[in-house]
Every structure is written in C-alpha cells, then in structure tokens.
Amino acid sequence: MKNSISREYIYLIILSFVLLILVVVFSFLVLIPKGKEYRIQRNDLQKVDRLLRQEKDLATATMQKFKELQQSNRRIIKSFDAVFNPQRFEKENRKFFSKLSVKSVGLPYIEKSFAVYEVNTSSQINSPTSFYNFLDALNKSDWIIKVQFPIDFQREDKMINSSFKMQVYSNNRDTNASTSASDAK
C-alpha cells in the first residue's frame, strides 16, 4: 500500500511546525523577558500606590488638623488683620487707670509689619489688681499685644504709678499697600 499523503498536507504540517517554532522563539525572546519586566513594574507601581495612599492620608489628616486649628484660633487669626487704633485702645482701657497715655515708639530693629507703643499709666489703688484686670482685658481685645517686662510700679502715697511698654502686632495696611505698589513697578 502506498501512502497517500498529499502534498498540501505535508506543506501544512511543515508550515505548522515552522509557526510552532516561531511562537516558541517569540515566547522565549520577547514574551518571557517582557513578563519579568511587567512583574517588576507592577510591584513598583504597587509600592508607589501604597506611598501615594499614605501621603493622601497624611494630607487629609494635616488638612483636618489645619481646619481644627483654624476654627479654634479664629479670633487670633482675625486679630492679626485688625488695625490698631490708639484712641480706641485708650477709650476701652481708661476704666482701669486714672491716667492712660499711648504713644508710638519707632524702634529701628522692629519690623515694619507691627507697631510698638509705649503705655504710661497711673491709678489710685492700694494693690495692682486693676493692672491684672487690664491684662485680662488685653487678652480679650481685638489686637495681638505683647506686654514687655519689667513693669515698673512706683508708689506715691495712695497712688500707684505704673509704666510699661507693649508691642502691638497689626497688619499695617499702608505698609502693605506701598510695598505692593513698589513691587508692581
């Protein structure tokens, strides 16, 4: 008996074998190395995703803490925007002293963003409690004020004279306007 394998069938088997060899060669030369690169890049991407999530969580927590601090310190933040008015200060605090004077002191080493004022007071009291009441009122005022120590108390008969300096931190709108105008030129 004669084998009757057709020529087309032999060509088909040879072509299939060549394609199989090409697929195997392609797999070993291209797909397997790229698969290793893919796994390495996938692991790197997972690490980056994990770091990104951690940073987002940190940013969210920081923003939440910022909002809480902003909410709890709203009065202080508002106080930095308040412009200091010496006449209003004298009017509000005259009740603590028999004599109260506020004058501006220009100190060269002080920044221009806040003003320095010297406060001279005198009162007729037997103890400095009105001064302590004045300090409590300063804490509740619209301005950020730093009282500089030492505070001089001098007694003259039934009168106590006190003298001290304070720094008022206020947003000098004139200074900022002139600075921004000079920056624009």
Side-chain angles (χ1 to χ4, degrees), residues 110-155:
I110 301 295
E111 293 181 28
K112 293 180 181 179
S113 62
F114 65 92
V116 178
Y117 291 88
E118 183 175 303
V119 177
N120 291 314
T121 62
S122 64
S123 56
Q124 294 180 355
I125 54 174
N126 292 330
S127 69
T129 56
S130 70
F131 179 75
Y132 296 123
N133 292 338
F134 166 72
L135 291 178
D136 287 338
L138 281 182
N139 284 334
K140 296 173 185 170
S141 70
D142 292 339
W143 307 290
I144 304 291
I145 299 173
K146 175 184 172 185
V147 177
Q148 291 185 334
F149 293 96
I151 299 170
D152 296 325
F153 289 105
Q154 295 177 352
R155 185 175 183 100

Side-chain angles (χ1 to χ4, degrees), residues 28-43:
F28 282 108
L29 293 179
V30 177
L31 292 180
I32 292 174
K34 292 293 182 182
K36 288 179 183 178
E37 281 183 37
Y38 170 75
R39 284 192 299 274
I40 292 170
Q41 289 178 352
R42 184 182 65 197
N43 289 339

Side-chain angles (χ1 to χ4, degrees), residues 166-181:
M166 67 180 192
Q167 292 178 345
V168 179
Y169 297 85
S170 67
N171 188 3
N172 271 345
R173 296 193 198 297
D174 296 338
T175 303
N176 289 341
S178 63
T179 303
S180 62

Side-chain angles (χ1 to χ4, degrees), residues 155-172:
R155 185 175 183 100
E156 294 177 12
D157 294 328
K158 295 212 178 223
M159 182 181 252
I160 294 178
N161 292 324
S162 60
S163 175
F164 62 95
K165 289 184 182 178
M166 67 180 192
Q167 292 178 345
V168 179
Y169 297 85
S170 67
N171 188 3
N172 271 345

